[in-house]
Amino acid sequence: VGSTATSEPNGIVTALQQTTASRIATTTNGVLGLIDIFALQAGVPARWRPNGSWLAEVGILNTIRQFGAGSVGSGAFWTDLGPNHPSQLLGRPVYESSAMQTAITATASTDDILVYGDFSQFAIVDRIGASVQFNPMVIDPTTARPIDNVGWYFRWRVGSDVLVANAFRLARA
């Protein structure tokens, strides 16, 4: 979902944070409401909307499930309130990402909590091939002396990034 260093793959949230046009603030700072769900979907250009999907952590999905509780019934606009998370929100697939923000932390925050967009415009690439090397003498980094261990070094390259940033919108509470 995100990266913490320049040498890591660019996750969906990290990539969208870099594009101002892809971020949509909720109507009330620190609060996610029903109006924000509709605004996020409507914010994606019509070209990308038909193939759109939702992505959020289960805590945010559970918050959305509770919209309308006490008035029209909890989750009145979900397609399916079966086990686990609902399979669709506003007629589009919902996917869970445990690496995303789990809850809205405070008012006036900048929590990136929900993504809607066409995930065919997000690429994850594996470089073909991997390398493995045997190290017969592991060195202690503090003393620069051997520590009576052997080791293996494995290298495999993976990358990811958004191909078209305009195909997504990121809800910021």
Side-chain angles (χ1 to χ4, degrees), residues 67-126:
F67 291 167
S71 56
V72 294
S74 181
F77 60 96
W78 285 100
T79 301
D80 177 16
L81 276 178
N84 203 354
H85 62 82
S87 59
Q88 292 189 343
L89 172 61
L90 298 179
R92 302 305 311 152
V94 177
Y95 299 100
E96 180 183 333
S97 171
S98 61
M100 287 186 71
Q101 184 77 32
T102 60
I104 300 169
T105 55
T107 57
S109 64
T110 55
D111 296 331
D112 298 317
I113 56 172
L114 182 65
V115 174
Y116 180 77
D118 184 350
F119 282 85
S120 71
Q121 300 306 310
F122 180 73
I124 300 173
V125 181
D126 288 336

Side-chain angles (χ1 to χ4, degrees), residues 31-51:
V31 178
L32 177 65
L34 180 57
I35 191 169
D36 301 316
I37 304 300
F38 290 111
L40 190 64
Q41 187 181 45
V44 173
R47 174 181 182 183
W48 308 110
R49 224 177 291 144
N51 294 324

Side-chain angles (χ1 to χ4, degrees), residues 122-140:
F122 180 73
I124 300 173
V125 181
D126 288 336
R127 181 176 181 268
I128 296 176
S131 64
V132 179
Q133 294 177 328
F134 176 70
N135 181 357
M137 184 171 31
V138 177
I139 305 293
D140 185 313

